Amino acid sequence: MDAAALIDTVKTERIAADLWRLLGIPSPTGHEREAALAYADMLKEAGAEVVVDESLYDSPCVIGRLRGERPGRVLQLAGHLDHIDVTHAPPRREAGVIHGRGSLDMKGGLACILELVRILSDNGCAFPGELLVTAYGLHEEPEGNTRGVTAPIRSGAIGDAAIVMEGCWHCAAVMDNGLARWDVEIKQNQPACHEQVAGPERDALQKTLLAVIGVIREANSRLGERTSRFPSLRSESVFIGQIHYGDFFNRVPNQCRLQGTRRWQPDRTFEEIQDEWRGWLDAIPCRHGVSIEHALTFIGHAYAIDEHEPIVQSLQRGHKAIMGTTLGVGSWSSVSDVQRLVVEGGVPTIPWGAECDPMHGGHADEECVDLENLRKACRIVLAAACDYLAQNEEGMPGLHGKG
């Protein structure tokens, strides 16, 4: 497997054509079936053996395998087919940029995976081991909550290592904070009324609201001062994102609600975070018929993998071969499928995607991807894949000649 020669065969126009085809099939979370079946066909055309897991009928999982000519490691390339269900202008191409909902997040990455499969297949699968491709839906919050990636994990369709082709491009990300959403609803068992007829007890709802805000703010300050074993990660936090109080300028309300996030580091579990949350909220006193209902909803695991994992080192060598610069290790603050692959699948996993302008990235009003950045990401991951697979044989990195 001459990795250097293979890397030079990455074709921007093939990636663009595959991306354009995928963009022509809307796939909002929970409605990915048409896109999944199309991707399965594209993966077959690229040279892989393909099975479609339809246990989630509207959000099937595509599992593709490209088997090398001799036994070895299994490298998994993973990505989600769905995009957020937010209106976007129709897909268009301007010069070297493709615009459209899902262009970066993450149909561009899925198009890169197709190119990798195509290149290795056209080269006669002259590599040890296997390339495993998993593409799925139900990723985006709140409908999906990254549930799509659990289908291949449960069926055993996982690799010895994995790359999720979206996200981080500035470092080899080996850790991230966990994430949960919290909801608080405060009620008073009296009807809403005009401010002029309200008795003195009607300020209890507002006092309780202020107490909840105070408890959360104090907790956030304490979390920010907590000694961390993970200096490259942001501090733990509890964040208030929404406060809804009242519905008219001179009415005294009888209920209000708050919502926000809770993030924690890899040395703590979600169960610990739940117990801590209950302790904060249950300690707040309630009077005059006021009650507090609260919930903490899990979204993503905190995780950390060893920076010396072979897949991390392969990405670093791949980056060096393509970019000529040393790629450091660090973190990527975004809940993705990496967390579930690491924690639930036990698979050392790293994210790697195309560089982008955050104002035009995933979930933006105007989402787009630069084709040259896609090509660059594809070349780096191909280099990393060749390196990782070639190490099956006598520990020889694939970027240093034929394996």
Side-chain angles (χ1 to χ4, degrees):
M1 181 169 61
D2 188 344
L6 288 180
I7 291 162
D8 288 338
T9 66
V10 172
K11 301 297 183 186
T12 304
E13 283 307 313
R14 289 194 302 227
I15 297 172
D18 287 337
L19 172 55
W20 190 258
R21 183 173 168 185
L22 290 171
L23 285 180
I25 308 172
S27 52
T29 303
H31 303 279
E32 303 93 347
R33 182 173 180 79
E34 185 181 356
L37 297 180
Y39 194 73
D41 288 341
M42 296 166 77
L43 202 51
K44 288 177 188 175
E45 293 165 8
E49 304 169 19
V50 178
V51 172
V52 179
D53 179 350
E54 300 192 62
S55 55
L56 298 168
Y57 184 81
D58 292 325
S59 305
C61 174
V62 180
I63 301 170
R65 297 182 185 275
L66 189 69
R67 304 178 196 275
E69 61 185 8
R70 49 203 185 275
R73 290 171 168 165
V74 177
L75 176 61
Q76 181 177 0
L77 300 178
H80 64 88
L81 291 152
D82 59 321
H83 55 71
I84 62 170
D85 192 8
V86 175
T87 302
H88 195 287
R92 71 182 191 280
R93 179 171 177 175
E94 295 177 347
V97 178
I98 290 183
H99 301 250
R101 179 62 71 213
S103 56
L104 184 80
D105 186 13
M106 63 164 289
K107 292 181 178 180
L110 293 172
C112 288
I113 291 173
L114 290 170
E115 180 70 354
L116 265 67
V117 172
R118 185 183 295 116
I119 288 171
L120 292 175
S121 176
D122 289 349
N123 191 53
C125 298
F127 60 89
E130 178 182 311
L131 199 65
L132 167 67
V133 177
T134 53
Y136 38 79
L138 294 175
H139 165 87
E140 299 289 359
E141 269 283 316
E143 293 86 357
N145 191 19
T146 71
R147 286 180 295 134
V149 73
T150 61
I153 291 173
R154 288 171 182 166
S155 70
I158 53 177
D160 296 308
I163 299 175
V164 174
M165 281 207 68
E166 72 165 333
C168 189
W169 64 85
H170 62 277
C171 71
V174 297
M175 64 185 73
D176 196 6
N177 285 329
L179 174 63
R181 185 191 74 244
W182 58 260
D183 295 88
V184 173
E185 187 168 13
I186 309 170
K187 298 179 180 179
Q188 189 168 21
N189 61 359
Q190 297 187 42
C193 65
H194 193 286
E195 62 167 318
Q196 293 294 303
V197 299
E201 77 284 354
R202 293 308 301 271
D203 66 355
L205 181 78
Q206 189 177 96
K207 287 181 177 178
T208 306
L209 169 62
L210 294 174
V212 169
I213 294 171
V215 163
I216 290 174
R217 285 172 57 85
E218 289 173 13
N220 187 58
S221 295
R222 291 195 303 272
L223 291 171
E225 296 168 357
R226 180 175 179 262
T227 301
S228 174
R229 291 172 46 202
F230 307 93
S232 68
L233 280 177
R234 296 186 63 161
S235 300
E236 292 201 14
S237 63
V238 54
F239 168 76
I240 301 173
Q242 297 188 74
I243 301 173
H244 298 269
Y245 180 86
D247 59 8
F248 199 70
F249 78 102
N250 65 355
R251 270 167 53 90
V252 177
N254 62 357
Q255 61 182 349
C256 59
R257 58 188 177 87
L258 305 86
Q259 191 175 64
T261 63
R262 174 72 172 94
R263 298 179 189 267
W264 66 96
Q265 296 197 331
D267 57 348
R268 306 182 74 191
T269 66
F270 178 61
E271 289 70 28
E272 289 178 67
I273 301 306
Q274 279 184 308
D275 289 343
E276 183 181 65
W277 169 259
R278 294 188 190 104
W280 295 342
L281 274 293
D282 291 347
I284 297 173
C286 294
R287 299 183 179 88
H288 302 293
V290 173
S291 61
I292 302 174
E293 298 177 5
H294 56 85
L296 195 66
T297 303
F298 172 81
I299 295 176
H301 300 281
Y303 79 95
I305 65 171
D306 190 329
E307 65 181 70
H308 300 296
E309 282 283 350
I311 189 60
V312 177
Q313 297 181 332
S314 289
L315 180 65
Q316 291 175 313
R317 284 192 285 264
H319 187 275
K320 182 76 171 181
I322 302 303
M323 305 302 296
T325 57
T326 300
L327 184 69
V329 296
S331 62
W332 180 45
S333 295
S334 179
V335 172
S336 72
D337 301 316
V338 173
Q339 277 93 334
R340 288 192 184 267
L341 280 164
V342 172
V343 178
E344 298 179 25
V347 182
T349 307
I350 48 177
W352 188 262
E355 185 174 357
C356 71
D357 174 0
M359 296 304 295
H360 296 284
H363 302 205
D365 285 345
E366 181 69 21
E367 184 178 346
C368 63
V369 63
D370 185 292
L371 290 173
E372 179 55 33
N373 286 340
L374 270 185
R375 175 178 176 270
K376 186 193 309 179
C378 187
R379 282 163 56 86
I380 291 170
V381 172
L382 177 56
C386 290
D387 184 272
Y388 181 81
L389 293 171
Q391 288 181 56
N392 286 284
E393 300 182 333
E394 301 178 1
M396 292 298 294
L399 296 179
H400 299 288
K402 294 183 179 181

